[in-house]
Amino acid sequence: MKTDLPHSFLPQRARPNRTSRRGLPAFVAAALAGACLLAAAPAGAVDVPIPNGDFSSATNVGTIGGGLIGGSGSDVAIGSSGPWTGSYYGALGLLAPPELSIAQGEGATIGGLLGINVLGLINNGGFFSQTLPVGYEVGKRYTIRARVSVAGVLDLGVLGSGNVGLALRANGTTLASTKTAPPQLITLGTIGVNEYEVTLRHDVIAPVDGNIDVQLLGTPSGLLTASLLAAATYTHVWLDAGAINPVAGSVVAVDGATQSATVGQPFPQPLTVKVTDADGDPVPNVAVQFDAPASGAGAVLSASTVLTGANGVASATATANTVSGGYTISVSVTGVDTPATFSLINTAAEPVAIDAVGPQDAQSTDVATMFAEPLVAKVSDEFGNPVEGAAVTFATPSAGASATLSASEATTDANGLVSVTAMANALPGSYVATASLAGVAEPIEFDLTNTLPGGTTIDQGGGGRQTGEVNSAFRCALEVAVARPDGSPYSGLQVRFEAPATGASSTLSDGTHTGTSLTVVTAPDGKARVQAIANEIEGDYEVIAELVGADGLPPVTFALRNVGSLIHADGFDSPCTPFQ
């Protein structure tokens, strides 16, 4: 069974003999601890099942040992059917053996470890062990791990003395033990208060006779003083097997595979890959090549070649270059066909510029028609990258020749572009439409002109000569007809009617507004009409009607007379339309 453990601790390495260990200064022990992190057994190797490695079996519960001074036992069954057995020994006439007990779900405890000095060092001791139904394989690296809880501090000296530890055996022969293994094969790390993880690694480079035998030991070789422990409890025992010299078989992204960063800024996560062999075991010390695009959107990498660590992992940091867009970072290993890939996106910075796009010359169109080309603007950041989602405000003049826009505000698309369409109003003339961006001082301008088609005509439609009684409405409407060059009615144009401001005159009305000057829009039939109401002054005068903005077309005149008493009226014989 294998249980994942937190690895926030600094691992420690045991040294070959007790004398050198126990005298190690703290800073030397810490240095060894840091170095051992690279020498730890590779994570992710294939589990070799250890029956009841979590001590949850009810058939493997019980206590053996203790009792008579000098007593001993070898491979004594614990519980009804094991698989863990116990071995223990005392010192004849001096020490009783320790007690070995397994409590269901609570682990295996070696307690009652003692030591005395009678013309030398004398200790009792014991260990739990079991032989697995599989043998060792040549070329494999075996890593045994266990959690160890003690009523004190488990340090490098205690581990090296054999007071607590692990061993791998075969046919009764110890192949590797935490008492004797070289420093690079052992780690000791803190998990919690008085709880540790102990790891022992052994490489099999020649055939081994016999099956794998694992051992949890408590066999001190010194006095039980403050540096030694009287009891230890083992839990979560497991065994891994991986290749000694694994060959890279795959490389995969394990962190930061998909992310984005603003141009010129670092990506939040490092680009991390893991290299494994055909069995899924990590491959250390392999050169990993990181490649970014040579042009366009890309990234600046902290390194182009990185060696994998003991866990087969290699990483590099990336900083987005100044070009926005998506791209791929490829990570390759010699001998591996398929590289790992990272999908990265450089996003644009804050918008700082707005420019016009499309026709650079002024556009023109007939009054009351749509301009052929939309008004297009592009928003960019400081590096010229298009900015998506920026709000652009469009505006046209509020009076005179102008245009109606499809929207007064719009947001840019993925290409930094935004556009609106423009419909010319009914007034001929040139003007400027603008597009502005918050934070940018100067808006961009679009030069537009509303034109009147050549051949447009404005004619009198009725009421051209009338006589009316003072303070009364004239009988016929003052009417003009505007036509396109093909003779069809031209609707939507503005016609301004002007009556004299003094003397004999009329007040003009379109049914809603009144005055001596009135502007009326041509109806679908192309006609504009007003009602004339004579003032109190008798006399002859003219009302003039002209097409607004059409400077080249002559005005239409209406000859009117105000009389005190209406006896007859000129023009009654001519057809006219009463104002409605």
Side-chain angles (χ1 to χ4, degrees):
M1 173 179 177
K2 182 174 179 178
T3 303
D4 290 333
L5 298 174
H7 291 285
S8 59
F9 56 84
L10 287 175
Q12 299 175 319
R13 289 195 307 197
R15 296 182 62 83
N17 60 73
R18 182 189 64 183
T19 302
S20 62
R21 286 190 202 95
R22 298 180 66 179
L24 277 177
F27 74 91
V28 175
L32 288 174
C36 188
L37 181 61
L38 297 178
V46 177
D47 288 345
V48 178
I50 296 182
N52 201 27
D54 62 352
F55 303 99
S56 62
S57 173
T59 63
N60 200 185
V61 172
T63 300
I64 60 173
L68 298 176
I69 292 176
S72 65
S74 179
D75 294 328
V76 179
I78 302 175
S80 61
S81 60
W84 291 104
T85 64
S87 299
Y88 53 88
Y89 60 88
L92 185 62
L94 294 173
L95 297 176
E99 283 190 350
L100 281 64
S101 62
I102 295 178
Q104 185 178 4
E106 298 180 9
T109 301
I110 303 177
L113 293 168
L114 299 172
I116 62 175
N117 187 350
V118 180
L119 303 178
L121 300 177
I122 299 174
N123 300 86
N124 63 8
F127 55 83
F128 297 94
S129 65
Q130 64 170 294
T131 301
L132 307 182
V134 293
Y136 293 95
E137 295 182 47
V138 175
K140 290 289 188 178
R141 172 167 293 165
Y142 292 86
T143 304
I144 183 172
R145 303 168 185 261
R147 292 187 186 182
V148 183
S149 299
V150 295
V153 176
L154 177 58
D155 60 17
L156 297 174
V158 174
L159 186 63
S161 72
N163 187 202
V164 172
L166 307 172
L168 290 172
R169 305 188 305 171
N171 273 347
T173 300
T174 299
L175 304 180
S177 170
T178 50
K179 291 180 63 173
T180 58
Q184 67 269 25
L185 302 183
I186 303 170
T187 62
L188 171 63
T190 302
I191 297 174
V193 177
N194 294 333
E195 186 175 11
Y196 305 83
E197 182 189 57
V198 179
T199 299
L200 171 66
R201 193 182 80 199
H202 176 62
D203 291 348
V204 177
I205 59 176
V208 175
D209 184 23
N211 285 355
I212 299 172
D213 186 354
V214 296
Q215 187 182 80
L216 316 175
L217 58 87
T219 57
S221 58
L223 286 173
L224 288 180
T225 65
S227 65
L228 299 182
L229 303 169
T233 298
Y234 294 84
T235 57
H236 301 88
V237 183
W238 66 91
L239 180 64
D240 297 330
I244 295 175
N245 296 306
V247 176
S250 68
V251 55
V252 296
V254 295
D255 197 15
T258 303
Q259 52 182 319
S260 62
T262 302
V263 288
Q265 298 299 312
F267 283 87
Q269 296 175 294
L271 313 182
T272 303
V273 297
K274 185 172 186 179
V275 180
T276 56
D277 64 11
D279 295 326
D281 295 330
V283 182
N285 300 317
V286 170
V288 176
Q289 180 71 35
F290 289 79
D291 292 308
S295 60
V300 178
L301 302 173
S302 59
S304 59
T305 303
V306 181
L307 290 179
T308 57
N311 56 2
V313 171
S315 65
T317 59
T319 299
N321 68 7
T322 59
V323 181
S324 65
Y327 55 97
T328 297
I329 299 290
S330 178
V331 183
S332 57
V333 173
T334 301
V336 177
D337 293 335
T338 304
T341 56
F342 293 83
S343 297
L344 305 184
I345 298 175
N346 298 351
T347 58
E350 291 297 314
V352 298
I354 183 170
D355 297 288
V357 178
Q360 298 301 306
D361 296 333
Q363 286 195 76
S364 62
T365 190
D366 291 346
V367 291
T369 60
M370 190 77 71
F371 282 90
E373 299 292 337
L375 311 184
V376 184
K378 182 177 182 179
V379 176
S380 307
D381 67 7
E382 60 179 309
F383 304 109
N385 297 302
V387 178
E388 182 177 7
V392 175
T393 301
F394 290 85
T396 53
S398 59
S402 186
T404 301
L405 303 177
S406 58
S408 60
E409 184 175 288
T411 56
T412 54
D413 61 16
N415 297 312
L417 299 177
V418 60
S419 66
V420 296
T421 57
M423 168 74 80
N425 69 4
L427 298 178
S430 297
Y431 54 95
V432 171
T434 61
S436 58
L437 177 69
V440 178
E442 295 295 328
I444 57 172
E445 297 182 345
F446 301 90
D447 295 324
L448 303 178
T449 302
N450 302 348
T451 59
L452 196 66
T456 300
T457 60
I458 178 170
D459 297 302
Q460 189 181 97
R465 182 178 179 84
Q466 299 185 65
T467 299
E469 193 172 348
V470 294
N471 296 320
S472 299
F474 284 88
R475 173 176 177 269
C476 299
L478 309 186
E479 181 180 82
V480 296
V482 182
R484 296 178 182 274
D486 62 2
S488 62
Y490 208 152
S491 62
L493 300 186
Q494 295 183 353
V495 177
R496 184 168 55 249
F497 292 83
E498 295 276 355
T502 60
S505 185
S506 296
T507 298
L508 308 176
S509 172
D510 62 3
T512 302
H513 306 92
T514 60
T516 57
S517 178
L518 206 62
T519 299
V520 180
V521 177
T522 56
D525 61 0
K527 294 182 178 181
R529 303 176 181 85
V530 295
Q531 171 74 64
I533 303 168
N535 64 10
E536 70 279 8
I537 301 174
E538 296 185 33
D540 295 327
Y541 57 95
E542 288 183 345
V543 173
I544 297 174
E546 58 183 356
L547 196 57
V548 178
D551 297 335
L553 293 179
V556 174
T557 59
F558 298 87
L560 303 183
R561 174 183 294 174
N562 298 349
V563 297
S565 176
L566 184 61
I567 300 175
H568 70 278
D570 294 336
F572 280 5
D573 295 334
S574 300
C576 71
T577 303
F579 184 81
Q580 296 178 347

